[in-house]
Amino acid sequence: MTKGKKTAKYKYYKVEGDKVVRLKRFCPKCGPGVFLAEHLNRYSCGRCGYMEWKQPAKKEE
């Protein structure tokens, strides 16, 4: 995290009725509580450096 800026945690969760739904994915190496950052073409973990490429959308003709 950058100095002086707080994380907007309300963007990571959504409340549906009585349940809390997570909107972002967890890092498979770090475990629950560490979210993956979503970039244009990949997901990445800022803690351990794990990275997953997004699958390109298939074109239907």
Side-chain angles (χ1 to χ4, degrees), residues 15-40:
V15 177
E16 292 181 351
D18 295 341
K19 297 189 179 201
V20 177
V21 178
R22 294 176 195 95
L23 299 176
K24 297 193 179 256
R25 299 169 60 176
F26 285 135
C27 176
K29 284 186 176 180
C30 298
V34 180
F35 291 102
L36 292 174
E38 185 174 353
H39 297 279
L40 184 63

Side-chain angles (χ1 to χ4, degrees), residues 7-61:
T7 306
K9 292 179 181 71
Y10 66 90
K11 293 182 180 179
Y12 298 163
Y13 301 97
K14 183 170 79 172
V15 177
E16 292 181 351
D18 295 341
K19 297 189 179 201
V20 177
V21 178
R22 294 176 195 95
L23 299 176
K24 297 193 179 256
R25 299 169 60 176
F26 285 135
C27 176
K29 284 186 176 180
C30 298
V34 180
F35 291 102
L36 292 174
E38 185 174 353
H39 297 279
L40 184 63
N41 59 351
R42 69 190 185 281
Y43 296 101
S44 64
C45 178
R47 185 174 177 194
C48 70
Y50 175 80
M51 186 172 57
E52 251 180 50
W53 294 100
K54 290 184 179 179
Q55 299 296 327
K58 292 183 178 181
K59 294 181 183 178
E60 291 188 32
E61 295 181 28

